[in-house]
Amino acid sequence: MSGKFEKTDNYVLDKINTLLKEKNMSHYRLAKNSGLLLSSLSVMLSRGSTPNFITLDKICHGFGITTAQFFNYDDEQVILTKKQKEFLNPWTQLYDNEKLKLKAYMQAITDYNSTHQKKN
């Protein structure tokens, strides 16, 4: 992904539009790849509405990138270990409510471990 982005209010929409151009991707193709309705995506982009995190996660999936790669301001490639990839790959298969439950579960484990000074 080329081009530098400033951390502005329009960063998300600017980045989506830039990725559409870089990947020569239509709104239709992005909607199909993301599992979003074309009308929802088109309205969001034409109105300049910033998507919520779950929608953005779907859009990133549609582009074939992670949200970490999307928000990588320095344009450096994010390298994941094999274990991280194994963990993150199924994420795109989960429903939104399942992602929220998994996030809460992971946060509970993290909170428990930090309270009990348990590090693995």
Side-chain angles (χ1 to χ4, degrees):
M1 288 175 273
S2 62
K4 294 287 181 185
F5 291 90
E6 293 184 28
K7 299 174 189 176
T8 65
D9 292 340
N10 295 326
Y11 173 82
V12 171
L13 295 173
D14 291 346
K15 184 82 176 231
I16 291 170
N17 286 315
T18 297
L19 287 169
L20 284 167
K21 289 176 188 166
E22 285 181 356
K23 295 180 178 285
N24 196 26
M25 190 180 289
S26 66
H27 288 184
Y28 173 79
R29 179 56 43 211
L30 178 59
K32 282 293 241 185
N33 292 353
S34 302
L36 297 172
L37 295 174
L38 174 59
S39 59
S40 299
L41 179 66
S42 295
V43 167
M44 179 193 71
L45 293 173
S46 67
R47 289 186 181 168
S49 304
T50 302
N52 64 35
F53 181 79
I54 292 172
T55 301
L56 181 60
D57 183 60
K58 290 179 180 182
I59 290 170
C60 289
H61 175 74
F63 281 128
I65 62 173
T66 66
T67 51
Q69 290 169 315
F70 184 89
F71 285 108
N72 189 350
Y73 298 112
D74 296 331
D75 242 5
E76 294 176 13
Q77 186 176 7
V78 176
I79 306 296
L80 299 176
T81 66
K82 183 177 179 182
K83 284 185 180 185
Q84 289 169 327
K85 287 178 187 175
E86 288 172 3
F87 183 80
L88 290 174
N89 283 337
W91 176 264
T92 60
Q93 307 280 325
L94 298 176
Y95 292 106
D96 295 344
N97 64 330
E98 293 169 330
K99 290 177 182 179
L100 293 172
K101 289 175 186 175
L102 181 58
K103 181 181 175 189
Y105 180 71
M106 291 172 61
Q107 187 60 53
I109 292 171
T110 302
D111 293 346
Y112 176 85
N113 287 345
S114 64
T115 302
H116 293 84
Q117 302 299 319
K118 186 178 183 180
K119 302 287 182 189
N120 289 331

